[in-house]
Amino acid sequence: MRISVNILLWPLSVLIGSIAFLRRMFYEVFGLRKAGKLPSLVIGNLTVGGTGKTPMVMYVSNVLKDTFSMSVLSRGYGRNTKGYLELNEYSRAAEVGDEPLEIFENLDSVPVVVCENRVQGIENISNSFKEVNLVLLDDGFQHLPLKANGYVLLCNYNNPFYSDWVMPAGRLREFAFSAKNADILVMSKCPSELKETEANAIKSRLSKYSSNVFFATFTMSKPQHLFEKVSQLRQGEKVILVTGVANGVEVKNQLKDYEVLNHFNFADHKVFNSNNIKEWLGECLLLNVQNIVVTRKDAGKVKDIIKMNGIDTQGISFYEIHTEVVILFDQEKQFKNSLINLI
């Protein structure tokens, strides 16, 4: 059935992919792309969500912190504001977006800003933060007005772009051959035990796009209390899981050390409300569960709702989890040097 639907959607996918290709060509041929006032590095993808851009942005920031003074720039997807905004301790997910807030709360001394116009955003950063000498962009591979110094393109091991198709028949934003515009390809979310033989086969498949290929696995953190950062959830506890990410099932599969009795699996960038939280609390009481686990991406939104609405959590604890990037095959140093060489 799914195959039949994809066949019917294929002409529309060809049209959307062709428009994206012609748009990219238009910007290149007529020289419409501009460098920012500061060096910039884009962490992007071809796929609509699920490749791990935000964890990679934080990983790259930590890898390069001894070499550059960085700022992070994001569009701020899903926010109810527009224009240039600098995040601060009072920023809320609704105003700046869930991913920028996650980055701001978990990177020390790194300015995080949101702006739809990335060229303008970089200019504003250069004016506001004199110490910054490199801007990391969370997404932006398709933001053609900016000509960044380097492009890191992520490819999900479980759903590689070279086996996918343009929306709506698939999940790609543009044709797979657009990956040739990347300087570095990272195969993300690989199994930690990935064999070098398989990695070499994948690298051969990717060679038509780039010779600079790395492999990364994403490990899941232990659940940390949402309001008491020193408290962790004990292994084996029963939990209710809540996800508002691109692939919630993937998150659930990584919680092997806990007993997940129910999973509220929402769409990516889900805007929660107080009724959602009350429903989760009710489910906990029904199943006699004392713990709710949310992703770090959703944590800021959940905390805001609980605090702003004075919700009584009835003794039920909220915990957050997140993924951490590990470059495979002892290539951390090579990856860092490849990034530096782009700037």
Side-chain angles (χ1 to χ4, degrees), residues 313-328:
T313 59
Q314 304 174 66
I316 294 168
S317 298
F318 283 77
Y319 292 85
E320 59 100 343
I321 51 175
H322 64 274
T323 54
E324 297 173 348
V325 177
V326 178
I327 301 296
L328 295 174

Side-chain angles (χ1 to χ4, degrees), residues 37-72:
K37 285 189 68 175
L38 292 170
S40 57
L41 182 63
V42 169
I43 312 295
N45 62 14
L46 294 182
T47 309
V48 181
T51 59
K53 291 190 308 298
T54 300
M56 183 59 73
V57 166
M58 289 190 274
Y59 175 81
V60 169
S61 177
N62 286 321
V63 164
L64 298 180
K65 65 183 179 182
D66 294 331
T67 309
F68 298 98
S69 177
M70 287 164 287
S71 174
V72 174

Side-chain angles (χ1 to χ4, degrees), residues 134-293:
L134 175 63
V135 178
L136 297 181
L137 281 84
D138 183 5
D139 210 356
F141 192 74
Q142 286 77 30
H143 188 77
L144 301 181
L146 173 67
K147 182 64 174 178
N149 293 70
Y151 291 87
V152 179
L153 190 71
L154 305 189
C155 175
N156 190 332
Y157 170 89
N158 301 298
N159 186 25
F161 62 75
Y162 52 73
S163 298
D164 204 350
W165 191 245
V166 177
M167 299 183 295
R171 290 181 54 80
L172 299 187
R173 300 174 179 182
E174 50 186 327
F175 292 130
F177 60 71
S178 296
K180 293 181 179 180
N181 295 288
D183 299 290
I184 297 174
L185 291 178
V186 178
M187 182 64 73
S188 63
K189 301 189 176 182
C190 297
S192 58
E193 67 279 5
L194 181 69
K195 303 296 183 183
E196 285 201 52
T197 51
E198 183 183 356
N200 288 334
I202 294 172
K203 195 176 281 190
S204 177
R205 187 81 181 265
L206 291 171
S207 62
K208 69 171 73 173
Y209 309 108
S210 174
S211 60
N212 210 3
V213 179
F214 294 89
F215 297 84
T217 188
F218 284 41
T219 62
M220 184 65 71
S221 70
K222 294 185 180 299
Q224 192 86 22
H225 199 283
L226 208 55
F227 300 100
E228 303 168 10
K229 291 301 182 184
V230 295
S231 175
Q232 290 186 345
L233 185 62
R234 290 178 300 179
Q235 189 171 322
E237 290 280 351
K238 297 177 181 179
V239 303
I240 298 295
L241 175 63
V242 177
T243 57
V245 297
N247 193 336
V249 174
E250 198 173 86
V251 176
K252 181 182 178 182
N253 291 340
Q254 293 192 63
L255 281 179
K256 298 175 182 177
D257 294 335
Y258 304 91
E259 188 177 352
V260 180
L261 295 190
N262 197 359
H263 179 196
F264 290 87
N265 189 14
F266 296 97
D268 199 10
H269 300 286
K270 166 69 177 177
V271 178
F272 300 118
N273 56 47
S274 58
N275 288 332
N276 292 131
I277 294 179
K278 290 174 182 176
E279 181 183 5
W280 309 337
L281 292 171
E283 187 73 1
C284 284
L285 295 175
L286 182 66
L287 298 177
N288 193 27
V289 176
Q290 297 299 311
N291 311 292
I292 295 176
V293 176

Side-chain angles (χ1 to χ4, degrees), residues 80-100:
N80 58 19
T81 59
K82 291 185 178 181
Y84 176 86
L85 287 175
E86 298 172 4
L87 275 69
N88 57 52
E89 60 183 311
Y90 303 108
S91 296
R92 296 172 51 239
E95 300 166 343
V96 299
D98 48 18
E99 291 167 338

